[in-house]
Amino acid sequence: EFFHKISSAVTGQNSGAPRRPAAPLAPEQKVGYLSALEVFRDLNDEEMVWLDGATTSITCEKGRVIYRPGESGEVLYLLKHGAVELYRLSSEGKKLVLTRLTEHTFFGEMSILGQGMYDSFAEAVEPSVLCAMSRSDVEALLLTKPVVGLRLLQALSRRLLDVEATLEDMAFRSVIARMASLLLRLMRQQDSDTISGLTHQELAELAGTFRETATQALNQLRADGLIDIGRTRVTIRDVEGLTRVAQV
């Protein structure tokens, strides 16, 4: 019943949107996805088999809203592939992006972890594959394998530091400094000097500014020889120079 409810909500059945059947993952493929998560690296083969049975796979096309403010229920989503954006909307419709999550991480509502996200939107910004776990299964896992709880808390702490850095940038730094700081953070997250898959609009939302202003900041950084810009690609040419701009 839990898995049917979650799958129906994400695929749009409850909202009246046409439902698209999710292509099921092969068991070995699903276990491979789960074992790639840092938080589950301490599980043995038998525990991974249990985890496989405790999760259900969900596929989301780009633009699918996974949950909205006010929706209830405690679910932990494991992001196996793709990208998910967590954001809030003001009464005027202005979008504040809290974070953009890429594969091999988690999100959702789980009060036992001190994580509450149902006052925000979660939206797939790329075609994504998720696995969902109920509160009871998360509790069972934490009771038998406390180290998983430690890994979850470590990941949440890193995420909180990123959010704090973003808010500090918005409060105290110019747009060009915020953009430089954002590009450095994305470089670390993607583990590459080339940041791919983000449009100028998406970069603007992550930096807390308008698209036109973000484009101006990117053009200035390019003119200064710090970055190169493509359609959905930014290549960092001078990390030290970009770091100096980010600290202004």
Side-chain angles (χ1 to χ4, degrees):
E1 182 180 353
F2 163 76
F3 292 150
H4 174 72
K5 180 180 178 182
I6 293 301
S7 181
S8 297
V10 173
T11 55
Q13 184 178 11
N14 291 347
S15 64
R19 180 175 181 177
R20 299 187 179 186
L25 295 174
E28 63 275 8
Q29 185 183 15
K30 185 179 172 189
V31 170
Y33 274 140
L34 293 170
S35 62
L37 265 79
E38 172 72 13
V39 294
F40 298 138
R41 72 181 187 187
D42 302 289
L43 301 187
N44 59 36
D45 291 344
E46 182 179 352
E47 290 163 337
M48 287 304 305
V49 170
W50 176 87
L51 184 63
D52 173 51
T55 58
T56 186
S57 298
I58 305 165
T59 59
C60 301
E61 70 272 24
K62 180 179 180 179
R64 173 64 64 192
V65 175
I66 299 162
Y67 57 73
R68 297 172 172 81
E71 293 183 351
S72 60
E74 295 209 353
V75 183
L76 189 67
Y77 291 102
L78 311 171
L79 179 56
K80 301 301 151 196
H81 179 72
V84 170
E85 208 168 68
L86 306 181
Y87 63 90
R88 295 179 182 175
L89 290 178
S90 70
S91 56
E92 295 81 20
K94 186 176 181 180
K95 186 176 182 180
L96 173 63
V97 176
L98 302 175
T99 187
R100 180 188 174 99
L101 303 174
T102 53
E103 59 188 23
H104 303 159
T105 188
F106 62 91
F107 63 99
E109 173 75 11
M110 198 57 61
S111 60
I112 58 174
L113 300 177
Q115 175 176 255
M117 282 294 182
Y118 277 103
D119 55 351
S120 61
F121 292 82
E123 180 180 332
V125 291
E126 295 177 8
S128 301
V129 178
L130 312 174
C131 288
M133 285 187 74
S134 68
R135 177 191 174 104
S136 60
D137 285 328
V138 173
E139 287 179 337
L141 178 60
L142 296 183
L143 287 172
T144 58
K145 205 72 174 180
V147 70
V148 173
L150 177 61
R151 303 287 182 209
L152 289 168
L153 291 175
Q154 288 172 336
L156 286 173
S157 296
R158 290 192 295 269
R159 191 178 302 171
L160 180 60
L161 288 174
D162 283 344
V163 171
E164 288 178 346
T166 299
L167 294 176
E168 182 180 345
D169 286 348
M170 290 181 182
F172 301 120
R173 293 180 180 172
S174 65
V175 172
I176 194 166
R178 277 150 50 190
M179 184 59 68
S181 179
L182 171 64
L183 293 176
L184 291 168
R185 189 160 60 248
L186 292 172
M187 179 188 71
R188 291 192 296 269
Q189 291 175 359
Q190 296 192 10
D191 194 24
S192 172
D193 290 343
T194 298
I195 300 161
S196 58
L198 292 169
T199 65
H200 286 197
Q201 178 63 42
E202 289 168 329
L203 288 171
E205 291 170 352
L206 288 169
T209 188
F210 298 103
R211 184 188 62 79
E212 294 80 4
T213 308
T215 298
Q216 291 172 3
L218 289 168
N219 288 337
Q220 182 60 56
L221 293 173
R222 178 174 59 182
D224 292 339
L226 303 178
I227 63 173
D228 285 328
I229 305 173
R231 182 175 176 82
T232 57
R233 173 188 56 79
V234 177
T235 300
I236 296 177
R237 297 175 56 191
D238 184 349
V239 174
E240 290 185 1
L242 201 62
T243 301
R244 287 194 295 270
V245 173
Q247 293 172 346
V248 174

